[in-house]
């Protein structure tokens, strides 16, 4: 889903956000992409669930020191708030869509159902054929 946030009085560039929910959310809820001012795109933004609620994690890379370091990040408090607000707002709107909630619940139910289902007879026969060779 695409969401647009344009800070009117702050002089900050507008932010367009696309959110991609994960099929089986646990700690990771979704990925997001942000287009800032129509001239800078940030991909691989992650939205995680925490004890305090969802939070935004900018793209990062693990350094030689074992710590994760942001690849890109807002340089002012105002831009950070505008970017994070736009991303979390787009995520909330995406979760409010009935088709998304239903799809995520169906996917979670289908994966649990698949785990409990016995293997098809053909798969068992193929395994037996491979062992015979």
């Amino acid at each position: 889903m695409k969401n647009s946030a344009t800070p009117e009085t702050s002089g900050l560039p507008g932010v367009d956000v696309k959110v991609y929910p994960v099929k089986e959310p646990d700690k990771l809820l979704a990925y997001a992409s942000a287009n800032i001012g129509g001239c800078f795109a940030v991909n691989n933004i992650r939205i995680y669930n925490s004890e305090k609620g969802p939070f935004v994690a900018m793209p990062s890379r693990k350094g030689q020191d074992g710590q994760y370091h942001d690849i890109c990040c807002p340089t002012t408090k105002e831009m950070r708030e505008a970017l994070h607000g736009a991303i979390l707002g787009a995520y909330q709107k995406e979760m409010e869509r009935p088709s998304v909630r239903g799809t995520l619940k169906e996917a979670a139910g289908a994966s649990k159902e698949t785990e409990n289902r016995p293997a098809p007879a053909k798969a068992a026969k193929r395994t037996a054929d491979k062992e015979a060779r």
Side-chain angles (χ1 to χ4, degrees), residues 4-117:
S4 218
T6 308
E8 296 174 10
T9 58
S10 64
L12 296 174
V15 179
D16 293 324
V17 178
K18 292 182 183 177
V19 174
Y20 308 95
V22 296
K23 290 185 179 180
E24 295 183 28
D26 186 26
K27 289 183 181 180
L28 177 65
L29 300 173
Y31 288 96
S33 297
N35 185 320
I36 303 169
C39 59
F40 188 77
V42 180
N43 300 315
N44 200 29
I45 299 168
R46 293 168 318 279
I47 302 170
Y48 286 103
N49 192 15
S50 73
E51 293 175 3
K52 296 179 182 178
F55 74 94
V56 175
M58 296 300 287
S60 60
R61 178 177 291 175
K62 192 172 187 178
Q64 291 180 348
D65 60 357
Q67 299 291 319
Y68 286 90
H69 305 279
D70 286 348
I71 294 172
C72 59
C73 60
T75 56
T76 65
K77 178 182 176 183
E78 294 81 14
M79 188 62 206
R80 178 178 303 277
E81 290 171 356
L83 181 62
H84 288 200
I87 292 167
L88 292 176
Y91 173 74
Q92 292 298 333
K93 283 185 180 179
E94 185 70 15
M95 292 298 97
E96 289 171 1
R97 289 181 40 210
S99 61
V100 173
R101 286 194 318 251
T103 304
L104 292 175
K105 286 180 183 176
E106 289 169 10
S111 66
K112 289 179 182 175
E113 182 180 312
T114 304
E115 291 173 0
N116 296 332
R117 189 180 325 151

